[in-house]
Amino acid sequence: MAQLGSGALVVALALAVYGIVAGVLGARRRIPELVESSIRAVWGVTALILVAVVTLLTAFLTHDFRLEYVYGRSSRDMPIYYVAAAFYGGQEGSLLYWSMIAGILSSLAVYLHRKRDRALIPYVAATVLSVETFLLFMLTVIASPFTLLPMRPDDGQGLNPLLRDVGMILHPPFLLAGFASFTVPFGFAMAAMITGRLGADWIRAIRRWSLVAWGILGVGLLFGAWWAYHVLGWGGYWGWDPVENVALLPWLTGTAFIHSVIVQERRGMLKVWNMALIVATFALSVFGTFTVRSGLISSVHSFALSPIGPWFLGYLAVVVLVSVGLLIYRLPGLQSDRAIESVVSRESGFLLNNLLFTAMAFATFWGTVFPLVTELVRETKLTVGPPFYRQVNGPLLFVMMLLMGVGPLLAWRRSNTGLLLRNLLWPAVAGVASGIVMAVLSGHLIAAASLAVTVFAVGTIVLEYVRGARVRRRTTRESYALAVAMLVRRNGRRYGGYIVHLAVALMAVGIIGSTFFQVERQFTLQPGQSGTIGPYTLTYQRLDNRVNAQGQAVVAVVDIAKNGEPRGTVESKRFFYRNYENQPTAEMGIKTIGIDDIYIVLDQWDENGTASLRAYINPMVSWIWVGGAVYVLGMVTVLWPAPMPARRPVTRPVREAALSEA
């Protein structure tokens, strides 16, 4: 196993280097055979990486503890799904997974674009192979997953306790896949700058690949929030932890790019923005991987620390220097074809959108690296917490939601101000009314304003669907439901985008409710005793000690009643796994009742069964997960191929007229 896997990676590294040279020489000297060889090198490298992946997975599934990586991440008592998840439970496996995703998507992109974008493909191949070269160098020289132990142990140490959860089976692969997927758009961007072909071709080529990467990364972030919510026990789902932040950064710049690219396609503008955003997104993806693996910034999520951080930092520096250098060199060719004609236009809206997302990304980046800067300058590490991010990013998010409502109603070039105000009237009325109701009921003005702008954004989305359905019904006589469905089917990019906006609004409602109206109480109870929080009564029944092959769990069983009516039972757990007794993990007891989540944490207990419980009422959190499902639906809609236009038969008079004109 070790020889097969490591051999495949060594050959892949040599083939990647060859592919880079062949692609560049073939393009420079116009030797099509070398270009074709470079394309095949991309496929060959991917195939060899897949051989290594299958080999490592087989080693895990067969409990081949002779491999140091398998020994340190798995054990015989683990369920098969955790054994498979152990593949990316450490730095070596996660880097191999990163390279696999980059290779698969790069191979597909090169295959699909090799004829239509012939001038770009040699440099696309060279760029993606340069990324693979770095990863393969790390996997063969610095951190090989196929290192052998001097003897075969009978059993392994087991997976890190934080990874023994369904959320972490899903969160790391989606997050790493999101990082890796931006390799393809980065490859096309570099090819465009190297060749000087800075028009619409490279933008058209990467549009879908960027959406795929952005969508995968977004799903990874959602799974991470869900995992944090039911495992970490602080009562929330996003704590502005450094690793959370660096995962969010490429999503923010990627979001800006996906919006900004529309302007270049439609009006030939914002070319510098688009090139800079896609380069920044890939660089931030590398930075995110570096932060998780280096241990440079302490985080509860940094479960796989290693000495590879300096190598990633060096590679990140090379990526930034080369990309920025090319960008500066090509600035004359990236000038806009047109200028913004009016402040009240869709072009201005997209530019403001770029500024907001970039400002949010910079603020988050600065807050993340601030401890390092202060330690370097003042020899004292100062940290910033969630209040900093809320105070800085909160107003930016508010303006962003407002723009999300206004943007779809703006016209290209110049908007008719009177018509715009008339179209905004009813969404604005709905937003203001909801804000007033919220302010009266809760007395919380910031929450009321946030809800008002969210409802306003939803109102404009609904208005766009209503307007589109009305126009369609004039010619087709379809029902409103069918008209809306056909709008989405025939223009998935536009109306699928509105579905994504709706998902963001749903998540915003969940964030508003859980941020501003969370209630917390602490209880110390003996079996049979009760405590109240809001309208809910929590009755602590007993403390169970459950043992299985992996270790033991201490479980607090709690009944929940609302206004005296029983609403079910939850179990809040603490796990102690074999070989990791000093690293207990948890699973919160969560019960959704109406719009509320009743969230119970087992903090402490003693031998006589007395338990210290921390309870929260988290209003509207379930809307975040519903919004996540709608987000996925919107992404599928955007990416779904549009139907081919129906071919109309050419009638005899039309055919005869065309022939006579010829």
Side-chain angles (χ1 to χ4, degrees), residues 81-163:
Y81 46 86
Y82 285 148
V83 173
F87 172 85
Y88 46 78
Q91 43 121 2
E92 296 94 336
S94 60
L95 291 182
L96 182 58
Y97 178 82
W98 212 105
S99 63
M100 179 190 71
I101 296 297
I104 291 172
L105 293 180
S106 298
S107 296
L108 286 173
V110 167
Y111 175 78
L112 295 173
H113 295 273
R114 69 189 189 283
K115 294 180 179 179
R116 186 172 183 178
D117 299 295
R118 189 180 301 273
L120 298 176
I121 284 301
Y123 296 102
V124 173
T127 301
V128 298
L129 286 173
S130 69
V131 176
E132 294 285 30
T133 296
F134 167 71
L135 294 170
L136 290 166
F137 171 78
M138 301 295 297
L139 289 166
T140 55
V141 178
I142 308 301
S144 172
F146 298 103
T147 301
L148 289 173
L149 292 171
M151 59 179 294
R152 184 192 298 270
D154 293 331
D155 203 354
Q157 293 182 334
L159 188 62
N160 186 307
L162 283 175
L163 296 179

Side-chain angles (χ1 to χ4, degrees), residues 521-554:
R521 281 204 62 187
Q522 187 83 34
F523 304 101
T524 300
L525 303 173
Q526 293 181 350
Q529 290 185 332
S530 300
T532 60
I533 176 171
Y536 300 96
T537 300
L538 310 180
T539 303
Y540 169 51
Q541 295 293 349
R542 65 185 183 276
L543 197 67
D544 291 342
N545 188 22
R546 302 174 186 175
V547 180
N548 59 26
Q550 297 185 72
Q552 67 172 353
V554 178

Side-chain angles (χ1 to χ4, degrees), residues 159-330:
L159 188 62
N160 186 307
L162 283 175
L163 296 179
R164 301 194 194 193
D165 183 82
V166 175
M168 289 305 269
I169 292 177
L170 300 171
H171 168 53
F174 273 96
L175 197 67
L176 291 170
F179 287 161
S181 299
F182 281 110
T183 302
V184 174
F186 176 71
F188 276 95
M190 293 296 288
M193 289 193 289
I194 292 170
T195 60
R197 296 176 176 270
L198 304 169
D201 288 346
W202 77 277
I203 287 291
R204 171 187 48 76
I206 71 169
R207 184 178 65 203
R208 284 186 175 272
W209 298 106
S210 302
L211 283 168
V212 167
W214 179 76
I216 293 173
L217 183 57
V219 172
L221 290 169
L222 286 167
F223 277 131
W226 179 72
W227 168 79
Y229 183 62
H230 77 269
V231 168
L232 295 184
W234 72 68
Y237 40 82
W238 191 269
W240 296 103
D241 178 271
V243 172
E244 292 175 340
N245 293 348
V246 297
L248 178 65
L249 290 173
W251 187 86
L252 291 172
T253 55
T255 306
F257 173 78
I258 286 169
H259 288 83
S260 180
V261 74
I262 299 172
V263 183
Q264 182 169 343
E265 288 180 314
R266 186 73 177 260
R267 300 281 292 157
M269 301 167 64
L270 303 184
K271 294 181 180 179
V272 176
W273 268 105
N274 291 329
M275 190 65 75
L277 285 171
I278 202 62
V279 167
T281 301
F282 179 75
L284 289 171
S285 296
V286 176
F287 177 70
T289 308
F290 155 72
T291 301
V292 175
R293 301 299 164 199
S294 66
L296 187 64
I297 303 174
S298 60
S299 165
V300 70
H301 299 73
S302 298
F303 54 84
L305 309 182
S306 72
I308 70 172
W311 293 95
F312 261 94
L313 185 60
Y315 177 68
L316 177 61
V318 171
V319 168
V320 171
L321 289 174
V322 173
S323 303
V324 172
L326 277 172
L327 181 59
I328 294 173
Y329 176 70
R330 293 298 186 186

Side-chain angles (χ1 to χ4, degrees), residues 46 62 115 140 156 158 209 344 365 469 476 511 549 622 647:
T46 302
T62 58
K115 294 180 179 179
T140 55
W209 298 106
V344 187
F365 175 82
T476 63
I511 293 169
S622 57
R647 293 185 178 181

